[in-house]
Amino acid sequence: MNTQEVVIVAENVQKWYGKFQVLRGVSLTVHRGEVVVIMGPSGSGKSTLIRTFNALEEHQQGRIEIDGIALTDDLRNIDAVRKDVGMVFQQFNLFPHLTVLDNITLAPIWVRKWSKAKANEVAMQLLERVGILEQAQKYPGQLSGGQQQRVAIARALAMQPKVMLFDEPTSALDPEMVREVLETMKTLAADGMTMVVVTHEVGFAREVADRVIFMDTGVIVEEATPTNFFQNPTQERTRKFLSQIL
Ligand code: ADP
Ligand code: MG
């Protein structure tokens, strides 16, 4: 793992929703194999920021590059970047009318142009990796929330992304299912996946993150190793936030 290799560069990223400036100059570099956790109060712009990394949201100023490809208005670039950026949402977003297997193979078949046989083979390997091989022929509605989220992770991995973005992946889960999803993410990190994770799971951040970033009102307020972040936060706003969640 070459940790000097850069996967995500965001430089002075600014974004408005109408007149409201949601991102007010965010700069961030993520290296290959790094796990970056983003924390911050609700409404601070965490989701918006990571959604700009695969152009689900458009930024108006600043520069974003994913694995050397600039996210500009050029649709070819946007398509190229989306192939390389896996995303996992709070609300799973699985296709309810497709089996688990078909949920996973859809994009590889249509976007990567894989044969059905190859896509199925890779999907089965991924289902095994996330520990739900036996659920392949079921529909999302027949699975628990934790299992559905692991399908969502497998589906994102099927595109062989260079980076995985997670937006509060355990926030919609019943408490007993949080652990299985965090364990899956932990394994992924240990295998060297580059990850940006919006989460308030302190245990995960402490154990898995290389860096923790704290956002408030559309800016990065603090950026530190997990140890420093949780034990010696330098900013008053970080301390206040931590006193609420710890
Ligand atoms: P977080 O993920 O940190 O909770 P978000 O990125 O979702 O924050 O939202 C940041 C701010 O932008 C919030 O004030 C939210 O209300 C606003 N916002 C988010 N999405 C939209 C949208 N599509 N249109 C207008 N305002 C939005
Ligand atoms: Mg959010």
Side-chain angles (χ1 to χ4, degrees):
M1 174 173 58
N2 178 359
T3 50
Q4 291 315 301
E5 220 179 310
V6 168
V7 181
I8 298 177
V9 183
E11 207 179 85
N12 193 28
V13 172
Q14 304 193 45
K15 174 176 177 61
W16 285 258
Y17 289 121
K19 285 184 181 164
F20 172 66
Q21 186 169 11
V22 55
L23 298 177
R24 300 186 299 134
V26 176
S27 298
L28 171 69
T29 302
V30 181
H31 297 93
R32 196 169 309 285
E34 243 191 326
V35 178
V36 175
V37 161
I38 303 180
M39 293 190 168
S42 178
S44 56
K46 307 180 296 296
S47 295
T48 303
L49 178 66
I50 66 168
R51 290 166 70 89
T52 63
F53 294 160
N54 64 352
L56 278 179
E57 296 287 354
E58 196 182 354
H59 60 291
Q60 280 91 41
Q61 285 196 28
R63 183 170 71 95
I64 299 176
E65 267 183 36
I66 309 293
D67 212 44
I69 304 173
L71 271 177
T72 59
D73 293 336
D74 191 331
L75 292 177
R76 285 167 305 181
N77 283 2
I78 291 174
D79 281 347
V81 162
R82 285 200 181 142
K83 280 185 196 170
D84 285 342
V85 180
M87 181 116 187
V88 175
F89 303 88
Q90 186 174 329
Q91 301 292 349
F92 327 139
N93 294 354
L94 298 174
F95 300 111
H97 59 291
L98 295 181
T99 64
V100 163
L101 189 63
D102 289 342
N103 262 278
I104 297 173
T105 58
L106 190 68
I109 288 170
W110 288 98
V111 182
R112 292 268 186 226
K113 312 290 181 202
W114 289 1
S115 69
K116 191 154 191 192
K118 178 178 176 182
N120 279 345
E121 189 186 325
V122 171
M124 295 304 270
Q125 284 165 3
L126 287 169
L127 282 172
E128 188 164 20
R129 190 163 159 199
V130 301
I132 43 172
L133 187 56
E134 68 286 357
Q135 313 294 341
Q137 299 304 337
K138 291 195 183 159
Y139 288 86
Q142 298 172 288
L143 305 187
S144 72
Q147 291 171 327
Q148 289 187 59
Q149 193 57 301
R150 286 186 283 156
V151 174
I153 293 172
R155 181 176 63 174
L157 290 174
M159 288 292 283
Q160 305 185 316
K162 294 189 172 133
V163 53
M164 287 278 285
L165 309 175
F166 294 85
D167 194 356
E168 303 206 32
T170 59
S171 297
L173 297 175
D174 292 332
E176 70 270 23
M177 289 162 193
V178 169
R179 181 195 292 263
E180 67 191 48
V181 170
L182 293 178
E183 284 299 320
T184 302
M185 293 166 62
K186 214 164 108 181
T187 311
L188 203 53
D191 289 345
M193 179 59 77
T194 309
M195 294 164 55
V196 179
V197 185
V198 176
T199 185
H200 293 147
E201 291 290 338
V202 174
F204 178 86
R206 276 190 207 273
E207 216 179 318
V208 184
D210 296 297
R211 267 188 296 154
V212 182
I213 281 169
F214 178 69
M215 279 184 78
D216 196 11
T217 60
V219 292
I220 292 177
V221 171
E222 182 147 6
E223 182 173 347
T225 63
T227 308
N228 284 337
F229 184 81
F230 292 109
Q231 284 168 18
N232 302 304
T234 62
Q235 302 299 312
E236 186 51 41
R237 276 194 277 179
T238 315
R239 282 196 283 270
K240 186 168 166 240
F241 176 78
L242 287 176
S243 73
Q244 287 159 352
I245 66 161
L246 288 177

